[in-house]
Amino acid sequence: MAKRHQEHQSLEEVLKDFVTDNNLQKGLDKVAVKDVWQNVMGPAITKYTQNIKLERDTLFVQLTSSVLREELSYGKEKILTNLNEELGKELIKKLILR
């Protein structure tokens, strides 16, 4: 039977330790990026979003509208700033619209 720690930890601390010990942060970041894209960009743009993929520090977004892709390409820096702000950390350094 495993020994239990005598110190009390909050649930938040236990979950953070679990994520760190099991190297789950990258996977959680990938899921969070998809949610943040929907929140920041809104339903109008999300409707034309086909696929979102985070690889290292680059976010790949596949869009079904070439016109929308062109329009969004003019505001890449602003989009990156808003996404990272919503994530609470500098996770995305480059945005590629396909």
Side-chain angles (χ1 to χ4, degrees):
M1 192 169 192
K3 273 189 169 177
R4 294 184 184 237
H5 294 280
Q6 296 299 324
E7 65 184 69
H8 297 284
Q9 288 184 319
S10 70
L11 184 57
E12 180 181 8
E13 291 170 343
V14 171
L15 289 174
K16 281 183 182 178
D17 289 345
F18 180 78
V19 167
T20 303
D21 293 345
N22 294 295
N23 298 321
L24 300 175
Q25 192 59 51
K26 283 184 183 179
L28 290 173
D29 288 341
K30 288 179 181 184
V31 173
V33 164
K34 291 180 181 182
D35 292 338
V36 166
W37 176 265
Q38 291 176 354
N39 291 342
V40 169
M41 302 309 287
I45 292 174
T46 302
K47 184 171 80 171
Y48 294 102
T49 302
Q50 202 169 33
N51 192 17
I52 300 170
K53 187 176 181 182
L54 179 66
E55 289 184 10
R56 299 181 192 192
D57 59 355
T58 304
L59 182 64
F60 296 91
V61 179
Q62 187 172 359
L63 300 166
T64 58
S65 169
S66 60
V67 175
L68 179 62
R69 181 174 47 250
E70 187 67 26
E71 286 293 320
L72 291 179
S73 69
Y74 294 122
K76 279 185 178 181
E77 291 301 318
K78 180 71 172 167
I79 293 169
L80 283 175
T81 303
N82 290 343
L83 291 173
N84 284 324
E85 189 175 294
E86 185 76 19
L87 286 165
K89 57 185 169 182
E90 192 74 21
L91 183 64
I92 307 165
K93 303 225 184 308
K94 188 175 180 183
L95 175 64
I96 296 180
L97 302 169
R98 300 189 216 179

